[in-house]
Amino acid sequence: MATFQAQVTALTGITISSSGTNPIESQLTQFLTDGAKEIINNLPKHLLPLCSSEQSFTSGSADTLSTGKVLSVFRSDGDIKQPCRQIDSSYK
């Protein structure tokens, strides 16, 4: 399968280079990333799990989750994943 760069070039006739005149590869990458985020942000709730991924972290580490929407949270005791419930932020 052709790369996105090759497909854009074939469809538009615009040459995309690694540097120099517009458009360049980094601009194409940013455009495609922004477009994918826009589509995901407008998806109905029941379709979000189809484009989701799992993030894991351990207690004690101050990780910031900056990848998007949180669909669900689980707690694992090592063997079993248990769903968590939402609590008020004043109890954090």
Side-chain angles (χ1 to χ4, degrees), residues 18-80:
S18 58
S19 63
T21 61
N22 290 339
I24 59 175
E25 290 172 3
S26 62
Q27 291 171 326
L28 176 62
T29 300
Q30 187 64 50
F31 175 77
L32 293 172
T33 301
D34 291 345
K37 286 179 183 179
E38 188 67 26
I39 290 169
I40 290 169
N41 285 333
N42 289 303
L43 281 177
K45 259 187 171 178
H46 71 280
L47 294 178
L48 287 175
L50 297 175
C51 57
S52 66
S53 64
E54 185 176 309
Q55 293 281 73
S56 298
F57 60 93
T58 57
S59 62
S61 62
D63 291 342
T64 301
L65 185 64
S66 60
T67 58
K69 298 178 182 182
V70 176
L71 302 179
S72 60
V73 178
F74 290 89
R75 175 195 168 275
S76 175
D77 64 2
D79 295 323
I80 302 171

Side-chain angles (χ1 to χ4, degrees), residues 1-8 10:
M1 173 160 280
T3 64
F4 282 119
Q5 181 178 338
Q7 291 178 37
V8 169

Side-chain angles (χ1 to χ4, degrees), residues 73-75 81-85:
V73 178
F74 290 89
R75 175 195 168 275
K81 285 186 178 180
Q82 305 207 357
C84 297
R85 67 184 186 282

